[in-house]
């Protein structure tokens, strides 16, 4: 960094791309045909197997932790949690420990002034539909140090050397802190300005096209969503160069629907809480709540049992650990076996939004989870796994009923999305955004706060937002 | 937070206070006489004692960790460090473990539109001059839960209940990560708008008066400095309401010296690296460097020895652990004994500053230290303990020579400041700011980057800046 280069904020260009479904290479329809062909052309086969049929994976004798022979990838081990947050304050559970920082990255390039994103049709064994739209690169450190002897993932070199591409977005972001122990990845968007080779399973899409695909169930994978959630939109920074109204005029956004215009305003409008007030709210909660997470051998985890086919809770239909065998024609290694976390019931991730003083605000939740790096992360209004089980057993999930009872005219977004298919088996969450009336006052428990989208994005880039908040943010798009 | 209150940015008011040495209650001269009287009126006596004379403190049998009988306050224990950062990658050392979050807080109130700060003349046993200017409140959790049976610190109630005062600044900030294990305090500035009782050792000062006192050696204590470092100055946020030029005109700042005007510009001027580029720099370093810190019994710490008077390194004049007895007339408890960390040699904290494209930038350092909460914090250009020892033994401290060989016309600030006298015995650092010419190009190692003051303050409020960077930032003031 001895020769710093002044760069223009890329936010306006990203907004242009978000508003554009026109693609000089292929229409969204043509893309879908291409994607369907990929499904047909390739051979995928995933089957649950007993743990005893796992190759290279074994239960370590002393701890019964589930490990890979290389000592790399991830292990499944146990944790014991003590916290003063929430109704369950002491429990034990299995967790994925993968201390490496991986790379989730998208290459972007401008064509006719519009940024296009290089996306990949990629199979993951845990996906309900196997093939999903994925970022250019999703690589664990074990991938790029070639532990399993496969090929290096294509395009990886653009994310390692700043001379190969301009790093526009480059942030450490966390994964599911209820399932992963302090796991995070480097979320990157890098820009090239020259021709690059486009490999077989890759294609260029505008952000507007990807936003459209995000309206279909289980189409855009979690890794793509977390990277896309980091895409900045024009806020006050850009409005200093050019007022937002001028920009909207130039972009012909007058045809946008009401909610899309509210979203635009929420990026740069006045917030009901200042940044300093939000930091104060967060500071007070971090001071008040504590959590200790002790790593324990998997064999000692209370209330969980292991059979030859799964490790599961004795009573509740929570997640379980299973093993699968995989055969595929488009992955670095042709066939393999691996453990996955199976999630038997659907979850719900939702934002309540509401105008305050005319500006759309999002209701955010501070949440303590065992895998968090520093006690608390910010989650969406509702972030609830196994919704039906929890309803039937009388769990109190604040604001859940707003989503379950939402009237059609309140629903701004409602799509099922998949969590990461390389670790989770059929783990689905309904992603919802609802809008209340400005006059609908609601009382907030101490760990909830209203934020504008501009503020959410400001805190997101410093790592406050959890994966559930980010995946939902990625789904937000503009409608003509 | 169910009734959020829209607040006006306090930055402009703080700037007014920073530019004002006029005080309606007492001139700076009168304050100094008051402070000198406090020294005379009060009885202070601090003496080093053997560990065996400590009351309530003992070496735990199994570990030989140094602990308090209550199980509260802090303990001195051992850590074993492994890291791939720096030239020493593996070592063991004693460290202070105090997992509680304390409060360092200042009450502010506007008189004639100018914020005044309620400061305290407070004795700490480790201070070279015993009495220093301190924040309104500095309270460990053991203080405010009254573990040692003393009185509650005065004014504490203003920092607990939002109905008593408006929380303007409320941030978790860390302490010395080479001496404390993951320690942080809540740094707070709260505003009242009504008369409050002013107790005996307290008085109102403007920020300009405090900045003047920061030009004297060992006058303003570390706790005051860390809180004051969080005071926001007008940046682009405020300049949207009113251009910085208008504000400067209104504030009659045309009489400011050149460096003061450069500082003002650095709060809102164009930076050579964008925020996203700085985050990318930080992300890459966090991905590259790791550190593991294992807590070990104090008795097992290699290369350290214990006598009845100190725990010290076998060869090097590093810090040591000692015990003192204290008698004082102005503290909650009249006399007590406690351990302190003695720092035999002076350190140096320094910022290199330089204009880039006409805007003053600060050279910041990413530093891995064992007590950090998440691998890396941002330190000043130089943050070096025991300077003479390290020079004599050929340690390579990047940029140290710029300060040791600085020409008088380069030096913008050079004052000796004390670290916290409640934990450290005579721990002094020379604090320096030097300015290079715009044409003085320097090559930066990968873990250094140029930032404007506006950017430094932006990252500071999210907790990136270590105590050394913050204490130095607090010292920066404006000169007519």
């Amino acid at each position: 960094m001895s020769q710093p280069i002044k760069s223009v904020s890329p936010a306006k260009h990203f907004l242009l791309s978000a508003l554009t479904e026109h693609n000089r290479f292929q229409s969204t329809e043509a893309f879908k045909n291409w994607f369907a062909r990929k499904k047909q052309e390739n051979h995928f086969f995933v089957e649950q197997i007993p743990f005893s049929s796992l190759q290279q994976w074994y239960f370590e004798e002393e701890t019964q932790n589930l490990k890979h022979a290389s000592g790399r990838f991830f292990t499944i081990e146990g944790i014991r949690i003590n916290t003063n947050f929430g109704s369950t304050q002491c429990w034990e559970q299995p967790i994925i420990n993968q201390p490496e920082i991986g790379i989730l990255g998208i290459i972007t390039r401008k064509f006719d002034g519009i940024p296009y994103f290089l996306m990949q049709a990629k199979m993951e064994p845990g996906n309900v539909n196997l093939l999903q739209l994925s970022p250019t690169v999703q690589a664990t450190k074990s991938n790029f140090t070639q532990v399993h002897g496969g090929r290096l993932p294509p395009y990886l070199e653009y994310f390692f050397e700043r001379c190969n591409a301009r790093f526009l977005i480059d942030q450490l972001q966390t994964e599911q802190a209820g399932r992963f122990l302090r796991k995070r990845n480097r979320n990157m968007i890098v820009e090239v300005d020259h021709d690059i080779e486009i490999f077989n399973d890759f294609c260029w899409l505008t952000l507007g096209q990807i936003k459209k695909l995000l309206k279909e169930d289980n189409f855009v994978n979690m890794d793509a969503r977390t990277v896309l959630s980091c895409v900045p939109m024009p806020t006050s920074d850009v409005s200093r160069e050019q007022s937002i109204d001028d920009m909207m005029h130039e972009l012909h956004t007058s045809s946008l629907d009401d909610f899309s215009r509210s979203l635009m305003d929420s990026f740069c409008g006045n917030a009901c809480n200042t940044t300093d007030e939000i930091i104060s709210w967060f500071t007070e909660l971090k001071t008040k709540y504590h959590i200790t997470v002790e790593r324990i051998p998997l064999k000692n985890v209370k209330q969980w049992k292991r059979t030859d086919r799964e490790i599961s809770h004795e009573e509740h239909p929570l997640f379980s650990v299973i093993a699968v065998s995989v055969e595929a024609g488009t992955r670095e290694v042709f066939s393999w076996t691996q453990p996955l976390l199976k999630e038997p019931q659907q979850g719900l991730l939702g934002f309540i939004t509401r105008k305050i003083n005319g500006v759309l605000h999002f209701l955010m939740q501070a949440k303590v989870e065992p895998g968090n790096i520093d006690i608390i992360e910010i989650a969406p209004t509702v972030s609830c796994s196994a919704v039906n089980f929890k309803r039937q057993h009388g769990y109190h999930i604040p604001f859940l009923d707003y989503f379950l009872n939402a009237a059609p005219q309140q629903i701004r977004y409602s799509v099922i999305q998949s969590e990461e298919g390389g670790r989770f088996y059929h783990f689905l969450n309904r992603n919802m955004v609802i809008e209340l009336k400005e006059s609908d006052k609601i009382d907030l428990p101490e760990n909830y706060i209203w934020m504008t989208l501009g503020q959410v994005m400001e805190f997101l880039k410093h790592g406050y937002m959890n994966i559930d908040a980010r995946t939902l943010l990625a789904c937000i798009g503009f409608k003509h």
Side-chain angles (χ1 to χ4, degrees), chain A:
Chain A
M1 302 293 283
S2 61
Q3 294 288 324
I5 295 155
K6 172 82 191 108
S7 62
V8 175
S9 160
K12 190 187 161 187
H13 288 115
F14 284 133
L15 177 58
L16 278 169
S17 187
L19 290 164
T20 308
E21 279 173 46
H22 172 76
N23 180 325
R24 66 188 263 176
F25 303 107
Q26 56 184 353
S27 66
T28 309
E29 214 44 45
F31 159 78
K32 282 191 182 174
N33 292 334
W34 174 85
F35 196 83
R37 274 202 311 281
K38 291 287 151 197
K39 249 184 189 157
Q40 288 166 350
E41 282 169 20
N42 288 284
H43 163 75
F44 306 123
F45 185 70
V46 178
E47 177 184 40
Q48 191 181 346
I49 56 173
F51 291 123
S52 53
S53 300
L54 280 171
Q55 287 150 19
Q56 308 253 7
W57 291 87
Y58 69 104
F59 290 101
E60 186 183 55
E61 188 162 339
E62 196 186 324
T63 59
Q64 296 298 309
N65 290 347
L66 184 51
K67 301 180 92 164
H68 191 261
S70 67
R72 303 294 291 275
F73 296 109
F74 56 93
T75 60
I76 312 271
E77 40 186 81
I79 51 171
R80 178 179 298 144
I81 298 102
N82 270 288
T83 178
N84 60 348
F85 180 89
S87 51
T88 307
Q89 304 208 326
C90 184
W91 76 94
E92 296 179 2
Q93 66 165 78
I95 200 155
I96 306 171
N97 185 12
Q98 184 176 18
E100 309 167 336
I101 295 175
I103 291 177
L104 306 177
I106 298 178
I107 294 178
T108 179
R109 186 184 168 193
K110 289 199 201 84
F111 297 101
D112 307 323
I114 308 282
Y116 282 55
F117 294 77
L118 188 60
M119 304 301 286
Q120 181 185 181
K122 185 163 169 50
M123 192 285 292
E124 291 289 355
N127 290 342
V128 279
N129 47 4
L130 295 174
L131 200 69
Q132 293 191 4
L133 190 66
S134 308
T136 319
V137 160
Q138 51 190 63
T140 63
K141 202 163 185 178
S142 302
N143 277 139
F144 50 79
T145 50
Q146 292 174 278
V147 171
H148 53 10
R151 290 162 301 166
L152 264 189
Y155 303 110
L156 197 57
E157 65 273 21
Y158 293 96
F159 299 88
F160 275 114
E161 295 290 341
R162 288 175 195 269
C163 57
N164 290 340
R166 196 153 70 102
F167 290 12
L168 299 181
I169 301 292
D170 182 11
Q171 302 167 3
L172 284 184
Q173 298 288 3
T174 56
E175 303 226 335
Q176 289 83 354
R179 304 287 178 267
F180 282 105
L181 192 60
R182 302 164 63 93
K183 171 87 180 99
R184 55 189 170 184
N185 288 310
R186 203 167 163 182
N187 284 233
M188 303 178 76
I189 298 181
V190 305
E191 187 179 38
V192 297
D193 52 11
H194 57 272
D195 280 344
I196 56 175
E197 188 181 349
I198 305 302
F199 295 108
N200 201 19
D201 295 320
F202 293 80
C203 68
W204 291 112
L205 293 175
T206 69
L207 189 49
Q209 289 182 300
I210 301 170
K211 294 283 184 187
K212 183 146 199 186
L213 298 168
L214 277 162
K215 290 177 191 155
E216 302 194 14
D217 289 349
N218 305 308
F219 200 111
V220 181
N221 86 348
M222 189 202 85
D223 298 322
R225 298 200 307 278
T226 174
V227 176
L228 294 173
S229 75
C230 305
V231 169
M233 284 288 125
T235 58
S236 49
D237 268 4
V238 172
S239 69
R240 277 193 295 160
E241 299 162 23
Q242 184 185 28
S243 87
I244 200 83
D245 281 342
D246 291 350
M247 197 190 306
M248 304 253 300
H249 181 74
E250 183 189 317
L251 293 169
H252 308 294
T253 54
S254 54
S255 62
L256 287 179
D257 73 0
D258 284 349
F259 190 65
S260 299
R261 293 187 68 88
S262 297
L263 290 171
M264 292 261 189
D265 288 342
S266 188
F267 279 113
C268 52
N270 278 333
C272 68
N273 299 297
T274 64
T275 302
D276 285 327
E277 284 165 346
I278 294 167
I279 291 174
S280 176
W281 165 81
F282 201 69
T283 299
E284 185 162 304
L285 293 169
K286 267 200 182 173
T287 305
K288 179 168 179 177
Y289 293 110
H290 60 78
I291 183 168
T292 59
V293 177
E294 186 190 350
R295 289 168 62 186
I296 59 175
L298 189 55
K299 70 172 179 190
N300 292 350
V301 174
K302 279 187 203 124
Q303 292 202 285
W304 288 72
K305 64 179 193 301
R306 189 176 110 202
T307 68
D308 194 34
R309 290 188 68 84
E310 64 173 5
I311 301 166
S312 57
H313 195 272
E314 287 169 357
E315 293 172 33
H316 303 320
L318 305 175
F319 72 90
S320 58
V321 183
I322 64 166
V324 295
S325 74
V326 189
E327 281 180 27
T330 53
R331 212 184 148 94
E332 298 96 48
V333 176
F334 190 75
S335 76
W336 71 94
T337 64
Q338 70 166 89
L340 286 173
L341 260 59
K342 180 177 172 180
E343 205 81 22
Q345 289 203 11
Q346 197 171 295
L348 192 147
L349 313 179
F351 279 129
I352 289 181
T353 68
R354 184 185 138 225
K355 281 188 188 164
I356 299 174
N357 304 322
V359 176
L360 194 71
H361 282 65
F362 286 65
L363 186 53
M364 309 303 291
Q365 174 192 181
K367 198 171 182 188
V368 176
E369 291 195 287
N372 285 347
I373 286 169
D374 191 21
I375 310 173
I376 294 178
E377 288 189 355
I378 302 182
T381 321
V382 168
S383 157
C384 174
S385 61
V387 169
N388 282 338
F389 166 75
K390 287 181 180 167
R391 287 182 73 198
Q392 283 155 15
H393 288 74
Y395 283 67
H396 173 64
I397 312 289
F399 305 111
L400 179 60
D401 288 344
Y402 281 84
F403 294 89
L404 300 179
N405 306 327
Q409 70 272 17
Q410 293 179 314
I411 298 174
R412 300 286 170 264
Y413 184 83
S414 180
V415 176
I416 296 169
Q417 300 288 6
S418 305
E419 303 307 308
E420 222 275 302
R423 296 290 173 274
F424 298 109
Y425 185 79
H426 297 194
F427 184 1
L428 308 180
N429 284 305
R430 179 165 289 280
N431 284 236
M432 290 183 80
V433 179
I434 62 173
E435 184 181 9
L436 304 187
K437 288 195 203 124
E438 181 146 14
S439 56
D440 291 339
K441 300 270 192 258
I442 45 182
D443 279 337
L444 304 189
E446 63 172 7
N447 60 318
Y448 291 78
I449 200 166
W450 292 106
M451 297 172 68
T452 62
L453 261 186
Q455 291 179 320
V456 170
M457 294 307 297
E458 174 71 21
F459 282 88
L460 186 150
K461 70 182 171 193
H462 294 297
Y464 290 75
M465 297 294 153
N466 81 352
I467 179 74
D468 294 338
R470 298 200 314 278
T471 191
L472 206 42
L473 286 165
C475 296
I476 291 174
F478 306 109
K479 231 184 289 191
H480 289 275

